[in-house]
Each structure stands twice: as C-alpha cells, then as structure tokens.
Amino acid sequence: MIKRIFSFLLILLVFLGMWKGWQTAQTVAHVRSYQPLVEEALRKENSTLDSDLVLAVIYTETKGQGQDVMQASESLTGQVDSLATPQESIEHGVKTLNSYYLHGQELGVDEWTSVQAYNFGKAYIDYVAKNGQKTSLELAQTYSRDVVAPSLGNMSGETYAYWTPISIFHGHELYRNGGNYFYANQVRLNLDLIRFFERFG
C-alpha cells in the first residue's frame, strides 16, 4: 500500500514537473516574441546591451503580459500602466535601462547594479559606487530598508512575505514600499532560463 502511494506521488511529481516545464517554455516563447521590438529599441539608443538581458527584464516584470511589458510607464508618466502598447513600453524601458547602464559604466560599477537600479532608481548606482562598486543581495537589502522604504513612508522597517525560488533561501520578505531587493538576482535567473530554452527548447 505504501509502495503504491509512493509510486503515485512520484508519478504526480513528474507530471507536475513536465506541466510546469511546458508552461515555462510557453511563457519564454511569448517573451521571446518581443525580441524584434527589443532589438529595434536597442538600435535607436545605440546600445550595447544584450537583447536577452532586456527580455529577462520583461520576463521578470510581466512575463510579457499586458501592454506595459517592461513596467516602464511609472518612470515616464508617474502612473502605472499608462503606456498604450508593448512597443512604447519597450522603447522607454530600454532607454531607461541603457541610461542606467551608461551611468554605471561611468562610475565603474558592475552591470547588475544597473539592472537592480531598474527597480530602485538611478540613485542606487551612486550608492553602489560609494560602497564597493558591485551590487550584492546584502547591499540591495540595506538600500531597500534604509533608503527606499523610508523615502516612501515606511519608517519602521515593516516587511511582508515574498515567495520566489530566490527569496525562499534569503528570508522571503521585502520591505513595504522598499522595492524588490531580489530584483537583479531574479533577472539573472530569468536570463539563464531564457537562454536555456533557446538552446534546448
């Protein structure tokens, strides 16, 4: 009896794994469909950013759903989802990310600092430049707690539960109004995911 239950659970896990893999492959394919728009936007900015990195940002932000696929409208208009098309979102998102990357190069920080700044804002690049010139989860967490959250009203360090494959091993909490200090790590993971399915999908 126990052996049958174990076999059933094993088969169920395999089935769920296959279903999740298929679902992820479909999502990656959908995000990959924005590659022509991404490459066009990169050309407009004369940017050397990797198009796959931009796709990983799209995957992290929205998984390619909705019109504002790069969640770029708030930095442009101050309002969420105010951009009308994915093309507008990608053009502004790429422009913002590229400007952060160029600023990061000027200050000698690593590329992932600029990626994290896409979530925190440009000032994070200056912060990292003064604190070792390389972002880390610990540095991003400190910035989220001490700079971003208080600037938006969270003076007490209030947190809320946040579950992802990365956060589960690092406290699974974010500071309310403090942005996402796991952001660069999540983009890095999604970049690997996108490249995996491109190679083996």
Side-chain angles (χ1 to χ4, degrees):
M1 184 66 177
I2 294 177
K3 188 175 181 180
R4 287 183 179 179
I5 293 174
F6 178 78
S7 297
F8 172 76
L9 290 175
L10 184 61
I11 291 171
L12 181 62
L13 285 173
V14 170
F15 175 78
L16 289 174
M18 291 174 63
W19 178 79
K20 184 62 177 176
W22 177 84
Q23 187 180 52
T24 301
Q26 296 302 303
T27 302
V28 169
H30 177 62
V31 170
R32 178 68 71 182
S33 71
Y34 291 112
Q35 187 162 0
L37 291 178
V38 168
E39 291 177 347
E40 181 183 353
L42 289 170
R43 282 193 297 271
K44 284 184 178 180
E45 296 299 320
N46 293 315
S47 176
T48 59
L49 286 172
D50 185 350
S51 62
D52 281 355
L53 177 62
V54 179
L55 293 174
V57 169
I58 292 173
Y59 191 101
T60 305
E61 291 287 347
T62 64
K63 292 184 169 62
Q65 302 302 311
Q67 299 303 312
D68 191 3
V69 293
M70 289 191 74
Q71 293 290 288
S73 60
E74 193 168 2
S75 65
L76 180 63
T77 67
Q79 298 178 345
V80 178
D81 293 329
S82 60
L83 293 174
T85 66
Q87 182 176 358
E88 288 181 314
S89 179
I90 290 170
E91 285 179 353
H92 184 66
V94 165
K95 184 175 182 178
T96 301
L97 184 60
N98 187 58
S99 70
Y100 290 173
Y101 174 66
L102 294 175
H103 184 58
Q105 283 190 316
E106 289 175 3
L107 297 184
V109 302
D110 68 306
E111 179 184 49
W112 295 105
T113 294
S114 301
V115 172
Q116 183 64 51
Y118 192 80
N119 182 261
F120 278 163
K122 188 177 181 179
Y124 183 65
I125 299 171
D126 302 292
Y127 179 83
V128 172
K130 297 174 182 176
N131 289 276
Q133 296 188 302
K134 185 176 182 179
T135 192
S136 67
L137 192 57
E138 294 72 24
L139 196 61
Q141 182 178 11
T142 299
Y143 186 80
S144 173
R145 182 191 65 213
D146 296 349
V147 179
V148 183
S151 74
L152 296 173
N154 181 4
M155 309 302 292
S156 64
E158 180 186 356
T159 61
Y160 62 95
Y162 181 74
W163 299 95
T164 68
I166 294 173
S167 69
I168 195 172
F169 297 108
H170 299 279
H172 60 79
E173 289 182 336
L174 290 177
Y175 297 100
R176 194 164 301 281
N177 299 332
N180 182 354
Y181 61 83
F182 297 108
Y183 188 79
N185 296 67
Q186 290 176 340
V187 173
R188 191 195 299 258
L189 179 64
N190 291 333
L191 177 60
D192 290 339
L193 191 68
I194 286 170
R195 287 175 171 169
F196 172 83
F197 279 100
E198 181 181 25
R199 183 176 301 175
F200 299 105

